[in-house]
Amino acid sequence: MVLLMISNGVSFFLGAFLSLHAFAGHCPSPSSQSGSMSLQSGALRTLRNNEESEKCTNESLFPEGVQRFASGISHVKKEDFTNTFDLGVPIDQPKKGAEDVLILYNKKGAMPKRLQSSSTPMELLKTDEAVEQCDYMNVILTNYDPGRAQCTVIVPQYESYHIQKYMRVPQTGHRELNSKYPLEPVSRGHQSNGIEQFLPPKASDTQKNWDMLRTYLASIDDVLKELRPIVDKISIKNTVVVMVCNHGQSELLLNFACSAKSKNLDISNVLVFATDQETKELAESVGLSAYFDERNFADVPLEAAGRYGDRKFVAMMMAKVICVQVVGLLGVDILFQDVDIVWFKSPLSFFHNEQSPIYSFDAYFQDDGAHSVRYAPWSSNSGFYYLRYNDRTQYFLNSLLMHGDLILKTDSHQQALVAVLSEHANLYGLRVKVLSRDEDDFPGGYHFHQKTGKYMKSYFKGHKKPYLMHMSWTKNKDNKLLFFKQLGEWYLNEQCINRKPDEIHIPKGDDFVSTCCSNTALFSCHYRDKPSIKPCKDSPPIDKGGKSFW
């Protein structure tokens, strides 16, 4: 049995459905036949009904040429389907004309029992009933953008679990969508404006990755030997929180630690991969375990990245791959997070809850919020995720390590991660759950920068009680710091910001924590058009024409 579900694609099949309805011989329904039937005697009415019912039951809705894979059809509500089957991807809210899921059945035996004897060509069913006879189920996720003329083609063939994409573009030059050209095969990252989001890495990218791998693989045995006692000592319920930081980002790391201490949150199982000695000393000064591997991190810049995707940013992305992969080799679960995060309560309680309906997934990612072709279908943020240790998750990490040239090519750890994630979910059954942006527990930059401020205003009123805030979608470290201050989540004293350990004066009788960490939030206003726990109406906007948040 082959069941093909096309999510959000009902409008595309409307024409086909109408023609199938005609092909089916216009089977009668009680409502449509009531007028003409009223002219007939009861006995004749019964006889005609029986004849029509038998005819409609035996006659296929589909022409003979497709009956081996399309013999029946139904539809169910999208919300009902995705509540019954957790696809793992963030589910967009249903919109008019795309509220339902379409289901095709390859033979009568695959159809729900009620449909096998029904005279109605296509019924709206509950999901459990719609799939009650299905032994296999293939799910296709497809966009429902009314602005594009899209065809979805099902070919009876030796099975493939990838979608082949065609567009009307020229074979060479700038390959922008144009209806005058024939359909040509393109990559899944090919946009209608001609931009291709997935280009193969160049030989120079691969060589750089090989150089990095050569150093890493030559040192891996020593690294594991050094890490083992640290991980064994700090792991809680076989889980380690992994972070990576250079000195340029160290104030965000320190703020995370100071914020957690002010809330009495346990961060004893945090392991910081410092890319320089200064950051290692700072992390240890606030009670965090830290590890500095000069063999592999000597070339990582001390400074913070100036923007997303610059050279310093990409160097840190490579460090993010290494630190998670090597900890995974020690057989523990991993919560990886960027340093631009503050906890409101420990997220480990969420992932350790064995009663949770999503506890059986292998990997959990924060929804980045950018539902673009680059990150489809997961939109998974690479700055906050949880991996349960098993062969599937470890091989995913091993494979991502080997795709370092793709990170170098795309200037994005996230884009490469999603590409590898998609293949492993499909090929190896890696169960991935994205913690949807439409839910309340794990907000990030998408929520913080919403123009309407809907989520953040609800948070300030106490209606939302998330685990954390991830200051993603923010240009650089300086802006993150200012946003945290007016959010009311900055706890690092001024004299400890952007300082090396020997530059911080600690009064006699005090320690680093009492000197650098504030017990209460250090609020200050900076931009009127960004969320603030108190009104900042007198501050300038950061965005041109930005209106006051309050």
Side-chain angles (χ1 to χ4, degrees), residues 246-485:
N246 69 351
H247 186 258
Q249 298 280 344
S250 59
E251 50 262 57
L252 292 172
L253 172 67
L254 295 177
N255 184 62
F256 163 75
C258 293
S259 171
K261 289 180 180 297
S262 76
K263 302 178 180 77
N264 294 315
L265 299 176
D266 185 3
I267 53 174
S268 61
N269 66 334
V270 172
L271 173 57
V272 177
F273 279 75
T275 63
D276 50 76
Q277 184 60 33
E278 292 86 350
T279 302
K280 179 178 185 294
E281 293 176 17
L282 288 171
E284 291 173 338
S285 296
V286 286
L288 300 175
S289 296
Y291 177 73
F292 171 44
D293 177 14
E294 190 172 7
R295 292 157 297 202
N296 289 289
F297 293 151
D299 294 333
V300 176
L302 281 173
E303 302 85 3
R307 59 174 177 82
Y308 179 92
D310 70 10
R311 183 184 66 85
K312 297 169 186 174
F313 181 90
V314 174
M316 288 302 297
M317 296 306 98
M318 298 300 294
K320 287 171 67 170
V321 174
I322 290 176
C323 67
V324 178
Q325 190 267 345
V326 70
V327 173
L329 291 174
L330 296 173
V332 295
D333 295 354
I334 297 170
L335 171 60
F336 177 84
Q337 66 171 52
D338 285 341
V339 294
D340 58 344
I341 285 177
V342 291
W343 288 1
F344 305 127
K345 50 187 176 181
S346 174
L348 293 177
S349 61
F350 179 90
F351 301 112
H352 289 165
N353 179 13
E354 297 184 16
Q355 305 307 313
S356 169
I358 61 171
Y359 183 78
S360 61
F361 282 85
D362 299 316
Y364 306 78
F365 289 83
Q366 182 185 39
D367 186 351
D368 180 78
H371 292 183
S372 64
V373 67
R374 293 180 69 192
Y375 307 133
W378 305 105
S379 186
S380 45
N381 188 292
S382 59
F384 182 84
Y385 59 89
Y386 186 92
L387 302 176
R388 299 196 193 283
Y389 174 78
N390 57 44
D391 289 343
R392 292 182 295 275
T393 54
Q394 190 56 43
Y395 190 55
F396 161 68
L397 294 177
N398 296 346
S399 298
L400 184 59
L401 179 71
M402 299 301 162
H403 281 77
D405 49 0
L406 184 57
I407 297 174
L408 295 170
K409 176 64 179 178
T410 60
D411 292 335
S412 172
H413 176 226
Q414 182 177 357
Q415 186 172 345
L417 181 146
V418 172
V420 177
L421 194 68
S422 296
E423 186 64 16
H424 280 244
N426 185 279
L427 187 57
Y428 302 110
L430 178 71
R431 293 207 66 204
V432 181
K433 175 64 179 176
V434 175
L435 307 167
S436 175
R437 70 185 186 187
D438 296 320
E439 297 174 0
D440 300 337
D441 289 334
F442 298 94
Y446 168 81
H447 303 83
F448 185 84
H449 294 288
Q450 281 178 333
K451 288 185 178 180
T452 62
K454 180 180 178 181
Y455 181 92
M456 295 306 300
K457 287 177 181 176
S458 184
Y459 162 73
F460 289 136
K461 292 176 182 178
H463 299 159
K464 306 290 187 184
K465 299 185 182 299
Y467 283 90
L468 52 83
M469 171 57 72
H470 182 188
M471 199 58 71
S472 55
W473 281 34
T474 303
K475 182 179 180 180
N476 54 39
K477 177 199 67 175
D478 294 336
N479 285 346
K480 294 174 190 283
L481 187 154
L482 299 180
F483 293 159
F484 273 132
K485 284 185 174 182

Side-chain angles (χ1 to χ4, degrees), residues 126-193:
K126 289 288 187 181
T127 298
D128 287 342
E129 182 181 15
V131 301
E132 65 184 4
Q133 300 286 93
C134 300
D135 294 327
Y136 295 86
M137 184 172 74
N138 294 337
V139 178
I140 299 174
L141 305 179
T142 184
N143 200 351
Y144 53 82
D145 181 1
R148 68 184 192 184
Q150 175 181 306
C151 302
T152 301
V153 180
I154 302 171
V155 180
Q157 172 58 27
Y158 177 58
E159 198 148 31
S160 169
Y161 293 96
H162 289 76
I163 295 176
Q164 297 185 20
K165 182 177 178 180
Y166 286 71
M167 289 176 61
R168 294 190 183 277
V169 295
Q171 291 185 351
T172 59
H174 183 62
R175 307 182 73 198
E176 186 172 353
L177 178 66
N178 191 317
S179 59
K180 74 178 184 180
Y181 293 105
L183 288 166
E184 295 286 345
V186 297
S187 74
R188 81 174 197 213
H190 197 120
Q191 299 176 171
S192 59
N193 60 4

Side-chain angles (χ1 to χ4, degrees), residues 78-87 126-128 131:
K78 175 183 175 181
E79 186 175 10
D80 181 35
F81 185 87
T82 55
N83 285 337
T84 303
F85 298 102
D86 193 333
L87 306 178
K126 289 288 187 181
T127 298
D128 287 342
V131 301

Side-chain angles (χ1 to χ4, degrees), residues 505-536:
H505 173 68
I506 300 177
K508 187 176 181 180
D510 287 347
D511 57 18
F512 186 93
V513 171
S514 61
T515 300
C516 291
C517 292
S518 172
N519 291 324
T520 57
L522 302 171
F523 171 84
S524 56
C525 282
H526 298 278
Y527 302 110
R528 68 168 181 247
D529 55 341
K530 292 300 176 183
S532 56
I533 195 169
K534 300 176 185 178
C536 293

Side-chain angles (χ1 to χ4, degrees), residues 78 92-100 144:
K78 175 183 175 181
D92 294 330
Q93 293 300 312
K95 296 183 179 180
K96 187 175 182 179
E99 301 100 329
D100 293 1
Y144 53 82

